[in-house]
């Protein structure tokens, strides 16, 4: 009799976005005319074409595979050196941040990496997550057996939840006691919050003092326009001793369907074995990667590398500018409708407090049925996401203008 991993049975009804999809499909079936007007601002998926530099590079890579001379089969599991060199130089070193080529591991996306990283950490770690939280951080820990059962408010026993509220501008405070692994995400998904240099310094100092590791999700760093806001945890002194950084080409270059990201693990970073001996984290991740992953495809990596060319950087900057323009419009529309709003300035998400005492799923239904707009209910991101909702700026300008008109029509007094 094959036994299953019982930890999967602890997971609640369904991952947030499939549940949104189910509700939207049910609405479309029962309201076919209204469904024609539907505008999706829920899932954070890009809508604009890929930068031409990436398209052209991937076309050339396809041609490479058509000849014996330029054919590529299995590539290095950690990623091709030419891509890792481009990342080290253009994403870090040019900004004065110390990251070496052999500390970079190319992958098929940050979502996968933030879940897979748990493979190299053992049981018994005390794990802290922000609340609201990107659901992958929690659900993968449930799957790995790092939590107890779920609670009525949707939280899980065994996790340390770090409240993110309007009072702290959705930047979590340090925990009262000791934790071993800390998930941080800035610019934040779902709230759009950013952390200042001093706020991140407090976290680095805490992690070093407690021999903890920060799992820093920087997938949205390209949206930071304020030069005083750090784009990388490694801008903070001491972070190389206590942090892993996850990045993605999904939002920077529109690669959500192409799939490419990377992890940075400094040489200095160590964990501890059962006898208290130091163990290199990068060595464990390299071993895990070599065993379980055959590397991102040659074609995709050529496309990613092209984003660091002069043409590619100009095109990705234009892409980011487009989505930030959308965010600004949505932010202002919600404010003009009398709602409290966060994010949307250095991030592609607008985080809004539900009006008129509505809870987040009631707000979801109101927007779906009365405005024919799909948003994301905040409760899907944790108990402290209740009575908030997220609007994604990933859309065409035409659609965003229409969403703003519908918000004004529905809520403006």
């Amino acid at each position: 009799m094959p036994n299953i991993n019982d930890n999967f049975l602890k997971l609640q009804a369904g991952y947030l976005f499939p549940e949104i999809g189910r509700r939207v499909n049910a609405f479309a079936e029962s309201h076919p005319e209204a469904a024609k007007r539907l505008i999706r601002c829920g899932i954070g998926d890009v809508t604009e074409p890929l930068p031409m530099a990436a398209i052209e590079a991937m076309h050339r890579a396809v041609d490479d595979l058509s000849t014996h001379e330029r054919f590529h089969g299995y590539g290095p599991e950690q990623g091709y050196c030419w891509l890792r060199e481009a990342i080290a130089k253009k994403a870090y070193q040019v900004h004065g941040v110390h990251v070496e080529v052999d500390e970079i591991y190319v992958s098929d996306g940050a979502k996968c990496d933030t879940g897979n990283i748990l493979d190299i950490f053992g049981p018994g770690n005390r794990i802290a997550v922000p609340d609201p939280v990107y659901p992958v951080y929690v659900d993968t820990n449930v799957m790995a057996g790092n939590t107890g059962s779920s609670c009525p408010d949707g939280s899980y026993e065994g996790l340390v939840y770090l409240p993110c509220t309007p009072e702290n501008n959705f930047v979590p405070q340090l925990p009262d006691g000791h934790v071993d692994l800390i998930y941080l995400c800035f610019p934040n998904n779902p709230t759009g919050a950013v952390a200042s240099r001093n706020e991140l310094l407090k976290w680095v100092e805490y992690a070093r003092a407690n021999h903890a590791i920060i799992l820093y999700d920087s997938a949205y760093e390209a949206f930071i326009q304020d030069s005083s806001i750090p784009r990388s945890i490694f801008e903070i002194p001491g972070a190389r001793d206590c942090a892993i950084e996850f990045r993605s080409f999904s939002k920077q270059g529109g690669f959500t369907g192409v799939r490419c990201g990377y992890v940075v693990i400094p040489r200095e970073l160590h964990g501890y074995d059962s006898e208290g001996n130091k163990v290199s984290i990068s060595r464990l991740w390299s071993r895990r990667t070599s065993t379980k992953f055959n590397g991102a495809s040659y074609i995709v990596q050529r496309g990613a590398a092209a984003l660091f060319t002069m043409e590619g950087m100009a095109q990705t900057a234009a892409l980011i500018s487009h989505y930030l323009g959308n965010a600004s419009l949505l932010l202002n529309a919600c404010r003009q409708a009398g709602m409290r709003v966060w994010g949307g300035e250095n991030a592609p998400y607008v985080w809004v407090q539900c009006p008129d005492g509505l809870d987040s799923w009631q707000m979801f239904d109101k927007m779906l049925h009365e405005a024919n707009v799909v948003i994301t209910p905040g409760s899907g991101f944790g108990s402290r996401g209740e009575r908030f909702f997220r609007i994604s700026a990933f859309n065409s300008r035409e659609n965003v203008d229409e969403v703003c008109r519908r918000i004004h029509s529905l809520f403006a007094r």
Side-chain angles (χ1 to χ4, degrees):
M1 183 175 66
N3 294 320
I4 62 165
N5 180 351
D6 284 346
N7 293 305
F8 276 67
L9 303 181
K10 299 176 189 174
L11 293 167
Q12 299 181 65
Y15 183 56
L16 172 61
F17 298 109
E19 174 61 16
I20 290 174
R22 186 191 66 78
R23 293 188 182 216
V24 171
N25 290 338
F27 169 80
E29 289 177 6
S30 58
H31 302 83
E33 289 304 311
K36 296 176 183 177
R37 299 180 66 244
L38 206 61
I39 299 177
R40 299 174 187 268
C41 294
I43 191 168
D45 195 4
V46 297
T47 59
E48 303 307 292
L50 294 180
M52 188 53 63
I55 292 290
E56 292 173 349
M58 289 191 284
H59 276 300
R60 290 192 295 270
V62 170
D63 291 339
D64 286 348
L65 302 184
S66 70
T67 70
H68 283 99
E69 294 76 18
R70 300 194 305 275
F71 180 79
H72 288 75
Y74 290 125
E77 291 90 350
Q78 293 81 9
Y80 285 99
C81 190
W82 35 262
L83 174 55
R84 295 157 75 198
E85 286 177 347
I87 292 168
K89 291 177 182 177
K90 301 294 181 66
Y92 291 101
Q93 294 169 7
V94 73
H95 302 295
V97 181
H98 177 205
V99 168
E100 301 294 338
V101 172
D102 63 359
E103 297 174 328
I104 298 168
Y105 299 84
V106 177
S107 71
D108 55 353
K111 176 180 180 179
C112 306
D113 291 333
T114 56
N116 290 335
I117 198 70
L118 294 175
D119 281 2
I120 66 174
F121 292 108
N125 285 311
R126 191 164 168 78
I127 298 165
V129 297
D131 183 10
V133 61
Y134 179 44
V136 171
Y137 308 157
V138 172
D139 288 358
T140 53
N141 273 287
V142 175
M143 294 172 181
N146 294 335
T147 75
S149 300
S150 62
C151 303
D153 66 356
S155 64
Y156 284 89
E157 297 172 352
L159 291 180
V160 176
Y161 287 87
L162 307 171
C164 299
T165 65
E167 289 70 32
N168 60 22
N169 289 315
F170 297 97
V171 177
Q173 305 301 302
L174 301 178
D176 294 332
H178 171 85
V179 298
D180 301 293
L181 299 177
I182 305 156
Y183 287 84
L184 294 178
C185 173
F186 295 109
N188 185 259
N189 179 13
T191 67
V194 291
S196 70
R197 195 169 302 276
N198 285 337
E199 286 166 331
L200 290 182
L201 179 60
K202 291 177 183 178
W203 277 107
V204 168
E205 290 175 341
Y206 171 90
R208 295 183 73 191
N210 286 270
H211 300 288
I213 293 178
I214 297 170
L215 305 177
Y216 194 78
D217 187 346
S218 186
Y220 298 93
E221 55 83 23
F223 289 87
I224 294 176
Q225 306 298 298
D226 184 342
S227 60
S228 70
I229 302 296
R231 286 192 168 195
S232 169
I233 191 67
F234 299 124
E235 294 181 38
I236 309 302
R240 287 179 59 86
D241 297 327
C242 65
I244 297 170
E245 182 160 287
F246 305 89
R247 285 196 179 186
S248 171
F249 295 107
S250 286
K251 308 309 191 295
Q252 172 192 354
F255 273 36
T256 55
V258 178
R259 307 308 304 149
C260 196
Y262 53 98
V263 185
V264 178
I265 305 180
R267 297 190 192 101
E268 295 94 317
L269 188 64
H270 291 86
Y272 299 87
D273 66 18
S274 59
E275 297 179 353
N277 301 307
K278 281 187 175 182
V279 178
S280 165
I281 294 296
S282 62
R283 180 171 66 83
L284 296 181
W285 183 248
S286 181
R287 185 67 172 86
R288 185 262 171 211
T289 299
S290 297
T291 300
K292 289 192 171 184
F293 187 52
N294 273 331
S297 81
Y298 170 74
I299 297 168
V300 165
Q301 291 191 62
R302 281 296 184 193
L307 299 179
F308 293 107
T309 63
M310 292 294 291
E311 297 83 359
M313 288 189 290
Q315 291 161 11
T316 56
L319 204 57
I320 296 298
S321 178
H322 167 79
Y323 291 129
L324 283 174
N326 287 348
S328 179
L329 291 170
L330 293 165
L331 182 70
N332 289 329
C334 291
R335 281 179 175 161
Q336 291 167 9
M339 292 182 275
R340 295 187 69 191
V341 191
W342 295 264
E345 293 178 340
N346 291 285
Y349 297 122
V350 179
W351 185 247
V352 191
Q353 191 167 37
C354 298
D356 303 323
L358 297 174
D359 68 30
S360 57
W361 278 109
Q362 287 171 338
M363 184 65 186
F364 175 88
D365 288 336
K366 184 177 182 68
M367 289 289 286
L368 178 62
H369 288 266
E370 298 181 37
N372 306 145
V373 173
V374 179
I375 57 168
T376 308
S379 61
F381 298 104
S383 62
R384 285 184 172 82
E386 182 54 270
R387 300 197 180 282
F388 294 89
F389 63 96
R390 190 191 77 175
I391 310 178
S392 169
F394 294 113
N395 224 309
S396 68
R397 183 58 50 84
E398 179 183 8
N399 277 351
V400 167
D401 285 339
E402 177 61 22
V403 169
C404 291
R405 283 191 288 271
R406 294 182 193 180
I407 288 173
H408 184 271
S409 176
L410 194 58
F411 294 106
R413 294 180 175 86

